[in-house]
Amino acid sequence: MTAQEKILEAFYEKPTVFKISVSDNSMLPDDLKDNNEIEFVLKPPVLSVLSKAGLTMAKIPDDLKQPGSIVSFEKASKYIIEMATAFSILAYGKTSDFPNWWVDFLIHNVTPKELFQLFSEAALKTQSSFFLKSIQIAEAINPMTLKS
């Protein structure tokens, strides 16, 4: 599957579901403390959510945001909070603030490699090339702009 096909699949296909095993439940609300895993659903984001995530993602170097990039642990570890925050914003899918325990939960319950993979999936859903192609497609099929 090409990178472009992966991007289209990430946006138009079913949402991605991440089930994270709970090893440290100290930050969880009381009603979730007994859960063995917490589920995060990464849906295709709306523009307002992308804008909010973009503020956090702008703090992360471009090479960390590229799908399939190979980055040293030292470099990626400098941006753990930003990666967890960007993932949380996109998984929450609303412009309002995501639950305040999400970032701490991610940092304390996934390995750095897993966090980078979560972030990479989230970054894939924000690829600008997708939006440019979407705008071109929308213009091409918009009945208001069709010429006879």
Side-chain angles (χ1 to χ4, degrees):
M1 182 177 291
T2 68
Q4 187 176 20
E5 289 171 331
K6 287 181 182 178
I7 291 171
L8 290 173
E9 181 179 295
F11 276 93
Y12 289 119
E13 298 295 323
K14 60 188 173 198
T16 307
V17 178
F18 296 97
K19 295 180 180 183
I20 298 175
S21 297
V22 177
S23 56
D24 178 356
N25 70 355
S26 62
M27 73 292 303
L28 293 176
D30 290 338
D31 60 331
L32 297 177
K33 286 206 185 277
D34 292 335
N35 289 14
N36 293 327
E37 63 184 17
I38 302 292
E39 190 173 281
F40 292 85
V41 180
L42 196 57
K43 298 176 185 174
V46 297
L47 191 55
S48 59
V49 172
L50 279 174
S51 298
K52 184 176 181 179
L55 295 172
T56 298
M57 292 184 78
K59 300 173 188 172
I60 300 170
D62 288 341
D63 59 332
L64 286 175
K65 295 182 265 189
Q66 297 304 316
S69 62
I70 299 172
V71 183
S72 70
F73 172 76
E74 290 78 23
K75 183 169 187 175
S77 66
K78 293 177 185 175
Y79 299 96
I80 287 176
I81 292 173
E82 290 84 358
M83 288 190 288
T85 301
F87 176 80
S88 296
I89 291 167
L90 292 167
Y92 193 58
K94 301 173 188 168
T95 53
S96 57
D97 292 336
F98 55 84
N100 61 1
W101 55 267
W102 279 23
V103 170
D104 283 340
F105 175 79
L106 290 168
I107 290 171
H108 292 96
N109 286 278
V110 299
T111 66
K113 181 179 179 181
E114 290 169 332
L115 180 58
F116 183 69
Q117 290 171 336
L118 293 173
F119 171 74
S120 294
E121 175 77 17
L124 180 66
K125 292 187 184 297
T126 65
Q127 293 298 304
S128 59
S129 62
F130 168 79
F131 292 103
L132 295 175
K133 294 203 184 315
S134 296
I135 291 167
Q136 292 167 346
I137 291 168
E139 287 176 350
I141 63 172
N142 183 345
M144 300 302 285
T145 61
L146 290 177
K147 298 177 183 170
S148 53

